[in-house]
Amino acid sequence: MDRETDDSQVADANTFVLAHCNVARAKGSYEDPIMQGFVDRLDPLHELADNHPGFIWRYDPPDDDDTVLRVFGDDRVLFNLSLWESVETLGTYVYRTVHKEAIRKRDEWFVPFGGPSMVLWWVAADHQPPVAEAKDRLDRLGRDGPTEHAFTFKHRFARPS
């Protein structure tokens, strides 16, 4: 039986939450003028997400943590990892707020990543995924396509019961 479905078939909304990771390879450093439009939007978009219904948590490494650089091997890779109550709450933030303007302008600031740049998966509500787990999910999506272990907005899988 295909488990691909919409989020309306939630068995226990408090057991699993949605993990979301997106990555992008910047055209320059944060200080580079080409990145200014993105940098100017970053804090307001984080604040909007933090206050958006359904937002739970975002990975925020200490200043001296180079985990992302070690895992991705490229200091121009920008990394975002967050937890949300559902696919719908994340989708509303991504596609129905000013965030959608940043998506439309992404080619101004980023070059193709060379694989999936966004992945979704379900995690236990008390789990905050580390960077390596998110990278593994991106790799799985690229290798296997959408599965219950790594999926997309377009090809989503039901919350585990």
Side-chain angles (χ1 to χ4, degrees):
M1 179 174 146
D2 188 355
R3 291 192 39 161
E4 192 169 332
T5 187
D6 67 19
D7 224 12
S8 64
Q9 300 175 10
V10 176
D12 181 358
N14 297 317
T15 303
F16 290 91
V17 297
L18 185 73
H20 163 256
C21 173
N22 67 290
V23 293
R25 184 167 285 114
K27 288 184 174 181
S29 70
Y30 273 18
E31 296 78 25
D32 191 315
I34 199 165
M35 296 299 295
Q36 190 65 50
F38 173 76
V39 172
D40 289 348
R41 287 170 172 81
L42 197 54
D43 285 340
L45 288 174
H46 280 172
E47 183 177 340
L48 180 64
D50 292 348
N51 294 302
H52 196 277
F55 175 82
I56 298 170
W57 169 85
R58 177 185 18 268
Y59 174 77
D60 187 17
D63 289 338
D64 61 348
D65 184 356
D66 65 352
T67 303
V68 174
L69 179 58
R70 285 193 315 268
V71 171
F72 288 92
D74 185 340
D75 62 358
R76 290 188 309 141
V77 171
L78 305 183
F79 174 83
N80 183 45
L81 175 60
S82 57
L83 297 178
W84 293 79
E85 289 176 1
S86 68
V87 174
E88 286 76 18
T89 56
L90 173 61
T92 299
Y93 166 71
V94 170
Y95 298 113
R96 295 193 179 128
T97 68
V98 297
H99 183 274
K100 68 182 173 190
E101 177 189 340
I103 292 172
R104 283 195 296 263
K105 293 180 172 260
R106 67 182 168 226
D107 290 344
E108 294 179 22
W109 310 305
F110 303 106
V111 297
F113 188 69
S117 61
M118 191 279 304
V119 66
L120 307 171
W121 72 102
W122 296 107
V123 298
D126 62 350
H127 177 64
Q128 293 178 344
V131 175
E133 180 179 332
K135 170 125 178 11
D136 177 66
R137 300 298 174 134
L138 281 165
D139 291 345
R140 283 182 185 213
L141 181 61
R143 182 184 65 237
D144 304 333
T147 68
E148 64 187 3
H149 300 288
F151 53 94
T152 65
F153 280 110
K154 186 174 180 180
H155 297 102
R156 60 181 78 169
F157 286 77
R159 184 186 316 252
S161 51

